[in-house]
């Protein structure tokens, strides 16, 4: 499972995760001492559905997809994880099997990890950290509920717009330009459609002058304000109505 190192990334791993920010310096140093890293190649699995682990994982570099596989072998992307995102928390805290696959799909991928006992020991000593993790788990549940609403109520072009705005935010695209971080096949799986439909909708966005693209994976959002306003209206009127 990749190449393990005594973590030279532990400092950036810890400081990149929002829930770790604001910790006392001595607690940070203790956490850094028990943090390790592992390198993964594209297509390698951090873990598979049904496996167990007592580990908190943090994305330091690269991109991870969490997927479920149907009985027919069809893959559905449940979530994409970017640098600073953590995962494996449910298996860690509840001692249950992983309910998804976690696969590296970015370039060089570095995952930092903290074993259960080290993590819980730090949590017990830091009430503020425990509270922030509770808030983070609550936010994750909210995002999961929201995603179900988006997939069930939004049209394909609306789901694609939401994904493009997400990629824009996660890649810190200052001028609106970014490289699509996943293939069109994976993008189709992420928003619940086919790669062919993704291509057609991207062309439609180009004709509406919402985006520009080189025809491959370079995307520039030309009307971010319009997309955000559109998604905000949809979220207010379709997703969050009682």
């Amino acid at each position: 499972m990749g190449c393990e190192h005594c973590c030279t990334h532990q400092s950036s791993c810890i400081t990149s995760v929002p829930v770790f920010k604001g910790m006392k310096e001595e607690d940070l140093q203790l956490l850094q001492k028990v943090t390790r890293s592992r390198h993964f190649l594209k297509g390698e699995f951090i873990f598979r559905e049904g496996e167990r682990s007592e580990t908190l994982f943090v994305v330091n570099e690269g991109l991870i997809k969490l997927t479920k596989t149907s009985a027919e072998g069809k893959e559905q992307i449940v979530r994409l994880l970017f640098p600073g995102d953590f995962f494996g928390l449910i298996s860690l805290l509840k001692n249950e099997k992983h309910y998804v696959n976690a696969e590296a799909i970015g370039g060089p991928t570095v995952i930092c990890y903290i074993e259960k006992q080290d993590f819980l020991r730090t949590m017990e000593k830091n009430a503020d950290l425990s509270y922030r993790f509770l808030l983070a788990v609550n936010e994750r549940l909210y995002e999961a509920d929201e995603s179900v609403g988006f997939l069930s109520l939004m049209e394909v072009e609306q789901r694609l717009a939401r994904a493009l705005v997400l990629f824009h935010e996660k890649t810190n695209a200052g001028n609106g330009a970014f490289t699509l971080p996943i293939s069109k096949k994976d993008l189709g799986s992420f928003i619940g459609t086919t790669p062919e439909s993704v291509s057609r909708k991207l062309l439609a966005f180009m004709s509406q002058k919402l985006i520009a693209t080189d025809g491959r994976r370079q995307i520039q959002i030309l009307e971010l304000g319009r997309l955000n306003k559109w998604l905000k209206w949809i979220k207010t009127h379709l997703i969050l109505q009682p």
Side-chain angles (χ1 to χ4, degrees):
M1 188 176 78
C3 179
E4 186 174 351
H5 296 266
C6 181
C7 189
T8 57
H9 303 272
Q10 69 266 40
S11 178
S12 58
C13 263
I14 300 305
T15 57
S16 70
V17 181
V19 292
F20 290 142
K21 291 180 179 178
M23 287 179 63
K24 295 179 181 179
E25 184 62 31
E26 55 267 30
D27 291 332
L28 275 174
Q29 291 177 0
L30 287 174
L31 202 54
Q32 289 170 2
K33 287 180 181 178
V34 296
T35 303
R36 297 292 181 269
S37 70
R38 200 177 290 253
H39 289 70
F40 292 85
L41 300 175
K42 183 177 180 179
E44 285 191 293
F45 286 84
I46 292 83
F47 54 73
R48 294 180 183 270
E49 182 178 356
E51 293 179 348
R52 292 182 183 273
S53 67
E54 295 189 339
T55 308
L56 177 70
F57 300 95
V58 178
V59 183
N60 183 260
E61 299 175 17
L63 183 65
I64 301 295
K65 66 177 179 180
L66 302 182
T67 64
K68 292 280 290 184
T69 305
S70 69
E72 296 76 27
K74 183 178 179 180
E75 178 184 270
Q76 173 66 51
I77 296 180
V78 176
R79 187 178 177 87
L80 293 173
L81 301 170
F82 296 82
D85 288 335
F86 63 89
F87 60 108
L89 191 61
I90 293 177
S91 181
L92 173 88
L93 296 180
K94 297 187 67 176
N95 195 30
E96 292 185 354
K97 296 178 180 179
H98 291 293
Y99 67 97
V100 291
N101 304 296
E103 180 184 349
I105 59 173
T109 299
V110 179
I111 302 297
C112 293
Y113 60 96
I114 308 168
E115 298 299 335
K116 180 176 182 176
Q117 293 307 315
D118 295 320
F119 175 68
L120 294 182
R121 193 177 299 116
T122 304
M123 292 270 283
E124 289 169 359
K125 293 176 57 179
N126 195 311
D128 184 56
L129 175 61
S130 300
Y131 176 68
R132 277 180 283 162
F133 256 101
L134 181 62
L135 292 179
V137 172
N138 181 68
E139 182 178 354
R140 187 73 57 84
L141 291 172
Y142 174 84
E143 290 175 353
D145 288 343
E146 186 182 70
S147 293
V148 171
F150 273 119
L151 283 174
S152 61
L153 297 176
M154 294 175 73
E155 300 295 333
V156 172
E157 51 269 287
Q158 296 164 346
R159 300 198 298 267
L160 177 58
R162 176 174 174 256
L164 294 180
V165 171
L166 171 68
F167 298 152
H168 174 272
E169 293 173 352
K170 292 295 187 178
T171 56
N172 298 313
N175 63 348
F178 59 91
T179 300
L180 197 64
I182 56 179
S183 67
K184 288 181 180 178
K185 178 181 178 181
D186 279 341
L187 180 53
S189 174
F190 183 49
I191 66 174
T193 189
T194 63
E196 294 76 19
S197 180
V198 168
S199 296
R200 288 195 299 270
K201 299 305 179 183
L202 287 174
L203 288 173
F205 282 2
M206 289 178 64
S207 68
Q208 298 171 51
K209 300 190 183 304
L210 291 171
I211 67 169
T213 176
D214 64 358
R216 294 186 293 275
R217 294 178 66 168
Q218 282 297 118
I219 304 284
Q220 182 170 13
I221 296 181
L222 302 176
E223 293 286 350
L224 182 61
R226 281 175 59 192
L227 288 178
N228 276 323
K229 187 176 180 179
W230 185 28
L231 292 174
K232 184 177 180 181
W233 186 92
I234 292 167
K235 182 177 179 180
T236 302
H237 290 79
L238 296 182
I239 308 301
L240 299 181
Q241 289 294 324

